[in-house]
Amino acid sequence: MNVAIVTPTVRPERLLDFWEVWQAPGVEFIFVHDAPEVPAAAGFVPGMHLSWKDADAHPWGWIIPRRTAAIRSLGIWEAWKFGADVIVCLDDDVYPTSSDHLERLVIALDRTWQLDWVYPHPQGARGLPYQLKRRSTWLHMGAWNSNADLDAAHRLVLGEKLTNLQAVEDRAVAPGQFLVLSAMHFAFRRELAPAAYHLLMGQGDWGNQWNLHRFDDVWAGMFMQKVCDHLGATMSYGGPLCEHRQTSDVFNNLVAEAEGMREHERRWQGIAALPVTGDCPKCCYESIAKGLIPWGGYWEKLGLAMALWANLFPCTGQKTRATVHNVMAVAS
């Protein structure tokens, strides 16, 4: 299995330490530098190094924004191109908490989930049907044991209350629900890459007039969940827990998040209601993009960018099929 780690960064001086703790046999690293060119200091770190210059080399390069962690999309595209079976997204301030951390993050994608019935005991329950569809996992988000990924307002209110978290039981997201995706620590299968675009934030070829930050992964997660729901797959979350050595400033984040927070409250239900059509992730994502265009403004531009992203991938033309199992013998 080919695994690629994609990491956006503005801190080349810390990348060697990051590489040393995450490197494993057969794992490819792709660092996406949020800078005009790859800094000289990055040359000492093994892996592929990308920058704005690499995005500008493509006619569709404008869909890769600047001054934002959403620049990771360029690394996701490169990882898919060279054939990665699993793409792992990590921020440069997260660290493993065990020697098998990366393996556990990837193995979580092998699990299947029965989401139609809830039952109290792992052995099953009287009345539980013997044959139930089980959904494949296309994305798994690991949690963290320090510095929870909170918005600035919650960080200021809660202070240290949520800095040390306990182990989280693995769970799948039921159809119709949404996972609040944090792009700092998750893995996904290559099948989902056509829907794994991280959105227009920060600065782009149109300037910074939208003033949106830190919602690229949240909205991207909603779009991916809609694709998974439609195709019979799912997303999950839980272990392993990473160590998050947060470096961002809470007051800078408070200002940066304000406009996106307002837009999120106005739009999340509209996103949830968008129709999805198609028999493969590419086609499903294109249908979502088409639904955003009539909203105008930022969302129209985003819909066009998402359609361009989807067009980078082939149409597989085959709908994912859930497998029927004896749930009493294979309990989740």
Side-chain angles (χ1 to χ4, degrees):
M1 177 182 292
N2 298 323
V3 177
I5 293 177
V6 175
T7 299
T9 184
V10 292
R11 294 177 285 264
E13 70 280 356
R14 71 187 306 163
L15 293 184
L16 187 57
D17 288 342
F18 175 89
W19 176 86
E20 287 177 344
V21 297
W22 283 108
Q23 60 90 21
V27 175
E28 177 76 17
F29 283 77
I30 303 176
F31 298 104
V32 191
H33 297 269
D34 196 4
E37 295 186 344
V38 176
F44 299 100
V45 185
M48 179 185 296
H49 293 267
L50 306 170
S51 69
W52 300 354
K53 185 177 180 180
D54 297 283
D56 291 339
H58 300 287
W60 46 265
W62 69 267
I63 74 173
I64 307 297
R66 319 294 160 85
R67 310 294 184 193
T68 168
I71 200 170
R72 80 180 79 244
S73 293
L74 184 60
I76 290 172
W77 160 241
E78 290 291 344
W80 181 87
K81 269 203 315 179
F82 80 68
D85 300 302
V86 173
I87 300 170
V88 179
C89 289
L90 300 172
D91 281 2
D92 64 6
D93 60 357
V94 300
Y95 288 79
T97 53
S98 65
S99 59
D100 63 345
H101 188 117
L102 184 60
E103 180 183 2
R104 291 167 59 202
L105 194 63
V106 172
I107 286 176
L109 296 172
D110 290 333
R111 189 167 183 177
T112 61
W113 298 88
Q114 182 286 117
L115 299 177
D116 296 314
W117 288 72
V118 177
Y119 48 95
H121 304 294
Q123 295 89 349
R126 180 175 55 83
L128 182 68
Y130 278 85
Q131 290 193 325
L132 290 170
K133 293 179 180 178
R134 297 179 66 85
R135 291 175 175 248
S136 301
T137 305
W138 278 7
L139 181 151
H140 179 77
M141 183 181 77
W144 40 86
N145 64 8
S146 57
N147 292 315
D149 190 15
L150 303 173
D151 58 54
H154 276 90
R155 283 180 60 195
L156 287 170
V157 171
L158 295 172
E160 299 299 316
K161 291 182 180 179
L162 288 179
T163 55
N164 296 307
L165 306 182
Q166 303 301 314
V168 180
E169 180 183 357
D170 284 3
R171 296 181 181 274
V173 184
Q177 292 185 321
F178 289 105
L179 172 66
V180 183
L181 181 66
S182 171
M184 73 163 70
H185 183 223
F186 77 100
F188 64 95
R189 292 189 174 279
R190 71 178 282 109
E191 293 97 315
L192 194 55
Y197 173 57
H198 282 63
L199 315 177
L200 300 178
M201 296 276 138
Q203 180 178 317
D205 68 336
W206 64 91
N208 200 24
Q209 59 182 303
W210 306 116
N211 196 31
L212 292 170
H213 301 269
R214 292 171 57 80
F215 276 87
D216 54 295
D217 50 355
V218 175
W219 294 334
M222 294 184 72
F223 297 143
M224 285 189 277
Q225 185 69 55
K226 289 176 70 67
V227 170
C228 287
D229 283 357
H230 183 75
L231 295 178
T234 193
M235 292 159 53
S236 64
Y237 63 96
L241 276 65
C242 70
E243 179 188 353
H244 180 207
R245 302 177 187 176
Q246 189 164 33
T247 57
S248 61
D249 180 88
V250 65
F251 292 104
N252 289 340
N253 289 347
L254 185 66
V255 175
E257 291 167 353
E259 185 62 28
M261 191 177 298
R262 182 172 68 173
E263 197 68 12
H264 185 54
E265 295 299 321
R266 290 162 134 179
R267 294 291 188 180
W268 76 265
Q269 289 174 308
I271 293 174
L274 286 172
V276 183
T277 60
D279 287 337
C280 70
K282 168 191 168 70
C283 295
C284 292
Y285 200 63
E286 286 175 330
S287 73
I288 295 172
K290 184 178 179 181
L292 293 175
I293 291 174
W295 293 6
Y298 166 78
W299 296 98
E300 179 180 4
K301 188 83 171 185
L302 177 61
L304 294 172
M306 289 168 58
L308 270 176
W309 172 266
N311 196 47
L312 299 176
F313 302 87
C315 177
T316 58
Q318 183 176 5
K319 188 168 183 175
T320 302
R321 301 182 187 278
T323 305
V324 176
H325 289 263
N326 182 333
V327 77
M328 303 294 269
V330 189
S332 288

